[in-house]
């Protein structure tokens, strides 16, 4: 699936796991989905779908609404990815610092 230029490859390039990317893509297909529907559409094992959806919520890519069943929605991609920019920038800065300090930590 492609949503305004995003596909699974671009989502994994942005740091999502393959399960997170697949679940996010599934959520983009409907206004709300139950976890069981996400599992089927995204081809994620049912025992993993709850962790994946919780991770998407923590990353600001999904929201949920309590009920029976609990329903999940995708956060609009522009808004979600804009919110991810500061965290991704910080993670890249930490990785750069670690790589730059590596030579000093190697034995002579």
């Amino acid at each position: 699936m492609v949503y305004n230029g995003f596909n699974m490859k671009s989502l994994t390039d942005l740091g999502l796991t393959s399960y997170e990317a697949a679940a996010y893509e599934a959520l983009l297909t409907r206004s709300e989905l139950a976890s069981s529907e996400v599992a089927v559409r995204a081809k994620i094992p049912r025992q993993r779908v709850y962790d994946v959806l919780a991770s998407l919520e923590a990353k600001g890519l999904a929201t949920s609404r309590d009920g029976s069943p609990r329903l999940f929605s995708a956060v609009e991609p522009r808004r979600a990815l804009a919110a991810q920019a500061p965290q991704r920038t910080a993670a890249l800065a930490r990785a750069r610092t670690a790589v730059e300090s590596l030579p000093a930590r190697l034995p002579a």
Side-chain angles (χ1 to χ4, degrees):
M1 175 185 162
V2 176
Y3 184 89
N4 289 341
F6 283 103
N7 57 29
M8 183 161 335
K9 173 79 170 103
S10 60
L11 291 170
T12 56
D13 287 347
L14 290 171
L16 272 63
T17 68
S18 60
Y19 281 166
E20 289 170 338
Y24 186 65
E25 283 186 333
L27 289 171
L28 288 170
T29 67
R30 300 268 194 233
S31 60
E32 292 182 315
L33 290 173
S35 59
S36 60
E37 295 171 306
V38 174
V40 169
R41 289 175 180 269
K43 297 178 176 76
I44 297 171
R46 283 184 186 245
Q47 65 269 26
R48 289 291 321 277
V49 74
Y50 297 104
D51 293 337
V52 171
L53 290 168
S55 179
L56 288 177
E57 283 189 285
K59 292 178 177 182
L61 297 171
T63 60
S64 64
R65 182 170 56 89
D66 286 335
S68 184
R70 187 173 184 184
L71 298 175
F72 295 86
S73 302
V75 172
E76 193 275 322
R78 287 181 197 265
R79 196 175 84 201
L81 296 173
Q84 288 296 300
Q87 290 96 351
R88 295 288 296 152
T89 300
L92 289 171
R94 286 190 301 275
R96 181 180 180 155
T97 299
V99 168
E100 288 174 347
S101 68
L102 186 59
R105 293 183 287 159
L106 293 174

